[in-house]
Amino acid sequence: MGRYLTGAGAVALVWGIRMLLLIMTQICVVFSGILSFSTGKGGLAVLMVLGFCVLAFFLFQFLLIPGMVRLYLNICRGQEAGVGEIFWGFHNHGGKFLGIGILALVLGAVLITPEIILALAAEVTGDWRFARLFLSGYNLLLAAAGIYVSLTYGQFYMILADDPAESVLLALSRSGEMMKGSRLRLLALWLSFLGWVPVVCLTLGVSLLWLIPYITCAQAFFYLEVKARWSKDQE
């Protein structure tokens, strides 16, 4: 019971931090808008403040992820674990995790750029037929690629949280090696969680305090299993 409370407490704390960051972002935007309105200029400043706040919000998430992962790994291993573990990424190789966050944002921007350009072109020309066809195919391709990458390199953060001294490229390579022959098992694990969707809806999301620790621990146990098998194969 105590370990469940630790996991649920970590989830609640992360939710609280995210809500506080969102509120601070809104305050910054509103304050910048008031200044812009009162001075009659400064629209660019409002956009810059908004961009900075959004960037800071997402990068903060990437510093929380390794701490959350490490917390649940400790819980699943029966080791000492406390809610404060979620801040582990801030003082352990924080630059590396920030770099991962920046690369992820850059990659996301690159992937969405063709959609933005095509949508703007279709809006100018008024011809959406090709745009709709391309966007549908492109989004399906991105979804398929995203699923494959997640199944192949989904142990990436587990590896780095387990061994923070590991290089990013080596962690990606090791995840790919670990997941050989286990992708379908991981996909089946993910699909097994879909049955909880109605419960989350009926409880207005409150059940996530129990469900998120359950799902994260299930994935942590999966990682520990594939890691043990991979380590045995290396011997």
Side-chain angles (χ1 to χ4, degrees):
M1 182 64 177
R3 291 189 174 274
Y4 159 72
L5 291 177
T6 299
V11 172
L13 180 57
V14 169
W15 283 355
I17 292 172
R18 287 174 175 169
M19 185 61 66
L20 180 61
L21 287 173
L22 284 173
I23 292 173
M24 292 174 62
T25 298
Q26 292 297 322
I27 291 174
C28 289
V29 172
V30 170
F31 182 70
S32 299
I34 292 173
L35 283 179
S36 176
F37 180 78
S38 61
T39 59
K41 54 184 178 180
L44 179 60
V46 175
L47 291 176
M48 290 179 64
V49 170
L50 177 60
F52 174 80
C53 291
V54 171
L55 179 64
F57 176 79
F58 279 105
L59 290 181
F60 193 83
Q61 310 304 306
F62 281 94
L63 286 174
L64 286 175
I65 291 173
M68 287 290 288
V69 171
R70 191 173 179 87
L71 169 66
Y72 285 104
L73 281 175
N74 289 342
I75 289 175
C76 294
R77 283 171 166 155
Q79 299 174 351
E80 183 178 350
V83 174
E85 193 76 26
I86 66 171
F87 299 110
W88 176 85
F90 288 81
H91 51 81
N92 286 279
H93 300 269
K96 177 188 293 184
F97 295 116
L98 272 178
I100 293 171
I102 292 172
L103 286 175
L105 289 175
V106 170
L107 179 60
V110 170
L111 291 176
I112 202 174
T113 297
E115 297 190 60
I116 295 175
I117 294 174
L118 186 60
L120 290 174
E123 187 67 31
V124 172
T125 61
D127 185 3
W128 279 90
R129 288 174 298 178
F130 173 76
R132 291 192 184 97
L133 182 62
F134 174 84
L135 291 175
S136 297
Y138 187 69
N139 286 324
L140 284 174
L141 180 62
L142 285 183
I147 292 172
Y148 176 79
V149 169
S150 297
L151 290 173
T152 303
Y153 304 106
Q155 310 310 311
F156 169 70
Y157 259 109
M158 293 281 187
I159 293 171
L160 285 182
D162 211 7
D163 184 7
E166 198 76 86
S167 71
V168 173
L169 291 179
L170 188 56
L172 286 171
S173 175
R174 184 164 295 177
S175 178
E177 293 175 6
M178 285 183 181
M179 290 305 297
K180 288 179 179 177
S182 297
R183 296 185 185 92
L184 291 180
R185 290 176 53 233
L186 181 57
L187 180 60
L189 178 64
W190 290 351
L191 293 176
S192 70
F193 300 137
L194 293 179
W196 291 102
V197 173
V199 177
V200 174
C201 295
L202 289 173
T203 60
L204 302 179
V206 175
S207 59
L208 287 173
L209 282 173
W210 176 84
L211 188 57
I212 290 178
Y214 167 73
I215 291 175
T216 310
C217 276
Q219 296 189 101
F221 277 122
F222 180 89
Y223 161 74
L224 293 174
E225 179 191 339
V226 296
K227 180 187 177 184
R229 190 182 70 245
W230 176 81
S231 298
K232 185 176 181 180
D233 291 341
Q234 300 302 305
E235 295 176 355

